Amino acid sequence: MQPVASVFVLLYTCAVRANGQPFSFSRTLGDHAVLQNPIVIWGTGTSGDSVSKTISTGSSETMNTTVGLDGIWRQALPTMKEGLEAFSLILRSSSGSISLQDLLVGKSFLCSGQSNIDLVVMKKAFNATNEIATCADYPHIRIARPVRHNSWDGPQTDLPLPMQQPWAAPDAANCAGFSATCFFAARSLFTSLGSATPV
C-alpha cells in the first residue's frame, strides 16, 4: 500500500504546483535553437489547458496537447527536413500565445565535461583573435550555455534558471567566452556534413 500512497501524494503535489504556472517554453528552448528529429517541444502551463501549435513553414496540420497534472505540456512536431532554412513556431492556449523564432533543424549535442570543457574558452585558444573573428562566419552553428547549478533533490523538470548564454548564432562577443572544445567540435562536424546541416 505504501507505493500507492506515494503515487497519490506525488500526483496531488503536482496538481497543486500546476495551478498558476505561466504558459511558457522550457528554459532549454529559445529563439535561434537547433532542434533534432524526432522533435518534442515542451514547457509549463495551467493543468488541463489545451495547447495548439502553428509552424511557419506552411504546415496545415493541427496538433493539440493538454497540460498535465504536473503542469507540463509536451508537443511532438512532424518530422522536418534538416537544412539551413529557418522557421518559427507559435503555440496558443487559453492563457495566451508564445513563440520561438529563427529555429533550425539539424544535429543537436550536449557538450559536457570538466575543466577541459568549461574553462578552456575561445579567448584562451591558440590563435584566439583570429578564431573569435571567424565565429560569425558560421551562422548555422548555434550555441547555448546553461547556468551551472547543483541539485541535491533528484532529477529536475527544467533548468532552474534562464540560460547563461541564450541560444544564438556565434559572433565575436558571445563566442569569446564559449567552450573552445565544443565550438571546434561543432565546426568540424558542420564542415564534414557539407556545411548544409545546422549543428
Side-chain angles (χ1 to χ4, degrees):
M1 292 300 294
Q2 189 167 352
V4 175
S6 297
V7 171
F8 174 77
V9 171
L10 175 62
L11 291 177
Y12 176 77
T13 302
C14 289
V16 171
R17 288 178 180 170
N19 291 333
Q21 285 201 86
F23 180 47
S24 64
F25 288 104
S26 160
R27 288 176 171 146
T28 60
L29 299 169
D31 294 341
H32 319 297
V34 173
L35 306 178
Q36 179 171 310
N37 288 312
I39 302 169
V40 178
I41 58 172
W42 62 283
T44 61
T46 298
S47 178
D49 275 5
S50 179
V51 179
S52 64
K53 67 105 179 101
T54 303
I55 301 176
S56 68
T57 55
S59 169
S60 59
E61 184 177 5
T62 300
M63 289 186 169
N64 294 307
T65 190
T66 303
V67 182
L69 286 176
D70 57 359
I72 295 176
W73 56 265
R74 293 173 181 82
Q75 177 68 73
L77 301 186
T79 299
M80 302 177 70
K81 184 179 179 181
E82 294 179 347
L84 307 182
E85 184 177 350
F87 69 98
S88 61
L89 182 64
I90 300 173
L91 273 77
R92 296 177 176 85
S93 82
S94 58
S95 300
S97 64
I98 54 178
S99 64
L100 294 174
Q101 308 294 325
D102 189 34
L103 301 173
L104 296 170
V105 179
K107 307 295 185 190
S108 189
F109 294 88
L110 175 65
C111 187
S112 178
Q114 296 185 33
S115 57
N116 61 329
I117 298 292
D118 195 37
L119 300 181
V120 183
V121 293
M122 292 291 286
K123 63 186 175 184
K124 295 181 180 179
F126 180 75
N127 202 18
T129 301
N130 289 339
E131 293 290 2
I132 292 170
T134 60
C135 283
D137 294 340
Y138 298 92
H140 297 103
I141 293 175
R142 302 292 171 86
I143 60 176
R145 183 180 184 186
V147 174
R148 183 187 296 164
H149 175 74
N150 295 325
S151 173
W152 312 110
D153 300 323
Q156 303 295 293
T157 57
D158 199 356
L159 297 178
L161 298 167
M163 290 275 198
Q164 179 177 339
Q165 166 58 64
W167 282 100
D171 58 28
N174 62 31
C175 199
F178 194 73
S179 168
T181 306
C182 298
F183 186 80
F184 291 150
R187 189 176 67 182
S188 176
L189 181 60
F190 179 74
T191 302
S192 70
L193 292 173
S195 301
T197 301
V199 175

